[in-house]
Amino acid sequence: LHGPGSVLYGQSSPGGLINLVTKKPTTDEIHEVEVSGGSFERKQAATDHGGRLLEDGSLSYRFVAVVRDSETMVDYIPDDRVFFAPGVAWRMGEDTTVTLSGEYSKTETMYYYGFPDVGTVNANPNGDIPRNRFLGEPDFNRWDRETKTVGLEFEHDFSDDLKFSQNFRYSAFENDYGDIYFGSYNGAQTTVTRGAYSRADRSDIAALDTRLQGNLDFGTVRNEITGGVDWQRTNFSRVQYNGTVAGLNLYAPVYGSPVTLGATPGTDSDQSSEQIGLYAQDHVKLGDHVRLLFGGRHDWTE
């Protein structure tokens, strides 16, 4: 969403923001199963199902899931993932719909730093560094992320030209991170120094958005007007321990070096923020060829 279209959502950069849309429950029957495989022992299964739970379509559902087990181009780095997103919609009448949805994802991988320039883009007397070389420690490195989200959407049409909606979402996120990074070469340009750290991030976000959308026509000029208020509260904590580990020969690596972490954290922080915003937008259509978009927003944040 670029320019004025991103104003409604607040805290966006001048370049805009990315809008991710969850697959919604549907009254149309959807049944899709996918099995795929590829390089680096990649195996993945995915499914997407949707349709009516009641014959009259007043209750419908959607279920999307992905399971992946895969290695990568670099030794010891996996690309594993589990994801599923269920959703149920209740059409309470011709004009009112309530949708309950959820998402769960867990990803297991490791961060990849790349290699020194000497031995890749610049010559090294020992030759090129193998592309699959791992610079960390298999028993220490990790990047495990887990996200849980639940959402509730309420929509009511007062008429064809006036609609009310209210959306609530709560998300919880955990990130467990163990990483080893490289420094400089030794004199023979075979072994690099390394450092290590272990980090745990925790966060949760609650958000509520209430809006009114309406259409007003003045001759050939059509105004699509949106106005509303939203609220968001975010909590975030991070604890990080810095450590040391022996260097690694990039041309004849031997893994198993112990990682020594500090007794006290190098970073131990808790942050919380609360935001309330008012916004309005008018999308003006002048005949068949001219479109004008006006938007404004004001936020109060602590």
Side-chain angles (χ1 to χ4, degrees):
L1 303 176
H2 295 284
S6 66
V7 170
L8 296 187
Y9 302 95
Q11 297 185 344
S12 60
S13 66
L17 54 88
I18 297 175
N19 184 30
L20 300 178
V21 180
T22 304
K23 289 186 174 183
K24 303 291 186 180
T26 175
T27 56
D28 297 328
E29 289 293 322
I30 296 175
H31 300 288
E32 179 181 356
V33 176
E34 172 192 287
V35 177
S36 61
S39 303
F40 312 112
E41 301 183 14
R42 182 183 181 91
K43 300 174 287 293
Q44 178 171 298
T47 188
D48 183 0
H49 298 279
R52 304 185 181 196
L53 291 173
L54 294 179
E55 189 65 28
D56 61 0
S58 60
L59 205 61
S60 57
Y61 79 99
R62 194 72 175 266
F63 181 78
V64 180
V66 175
V67 177
R68 181 171 66 238
D69 179 12
S70 179
E71 305 298 327
T72 62
M73 62 175 280
V74 180
D75 293 342
Y76 304 110
I77 296 184
D79 182 21
D80 300 340
R81 192 178 194 213
V82 174
F83 170 85
F84 59 87
V88 177
W90 178 27
R91 192 171 181 85
M92 304 170 63
E94 291 186 1
D95 302 321
T96 305
T97 303
V98 177
T99 303
L100 177 65
S101 60
E103 288 185 17
Y104 173 83
S105 68
K106 184 174 183 179
T107 303
E108 296 181 356
T109 185
M110 298 178 188
Y111 188 77
Y112 173 58
Y113 275 99
F115 301 125
D117 62 324
V118 176
T120 53
V121 294
N122 294 317
N124 187 316
N126 302 288
D128 293 337
I129 303 170
R131 301 182 66 177
N132 64 323
R133 182 68 72 236
F134 180 60
L135 274 70
E137 290 294 333
D139 293 334
F140 178 81
N141 284 70
R142 67 192 181 281
W143 189 3
D144 299 339
R145 304 187 300 274
E146 188 174 32
T147 303
K148 305 169 186 175
T149 300
V150 61
L152 183 65
E153 303 176 37
F154 175 83
E155 293 184 352
H156 178 73
D157 294 336
F158 293 102
S159 68
D160 291 340
D161 293 318
L162 186 61
K163 181 175 76 172
F164 171 84
S165 62
Q166 187 172 63
N167 303 325
F168 174 79
R169 183 181 71 248
Y170 175 79
S171 299
F173 169 83
E174 295 183 2
N175 180 47
D176 290 317
Y177 196 73
D179 191 44
I180 292 177
Y181 53 91
F182 68 88
S184 58
Y185 271 118
N186 63 0
Q189 294 186 317
T190 58
T191 301
V192 290
T193 59
R194 297 186 298 174
Y197 62 91
S198 177
R199 190 177 80 209
D201 299 331
R202 303 290 184 270
S203 69
D204 62 86
I205 302 173
L208 179 67
D209 182 21
T210 304
R211 66 175 55 186
L212 199 62
Q213 295 172 281
N215 300 322
L216 292 176
D217 294 332
F218 300 98
T220 59
V221 179
R222 183 174 182 84
N223 294 266
E224 298 176 353
I225 301 172
T226 301
V229 56
D230 60 19
W231 167 86
Q232 178 174 289
R233 181 171 180 83
T234 303
N235 299 301
F236 176 79
S237 66
R238 168 172 290 176
V239 179
Q240 178 174 314
Y241 292 85
N242 300 320
T244 59
V245 62
L248 183 73
N249 188 320
L250 300 184
Y251 295 90
V254 176
Y255 300 107
S257 297
V259 177
T260 303
L261 297 175
T264 58
T267 300
D268 189 351
S269 65
D270 291 283
Q271 304 173 21
S272 64
S273 65
E274 188 169 10
Q275 171 189 332
I276 296 177
L278 293 174
Y279 58 85
Q281 176 178 281
D282 188 6
H283 185 197
V284 183
K285 297 182 179 180
L286 303 174
D288 295 330
H289 304 292
V290 179
R291 302 289 184 268
L292 302 175
L293 189 63
F294 302 95
R297 181 182 175 95
H298 185 81
D299 286 288
W300 294 267
T301 304
E302 294 184 358

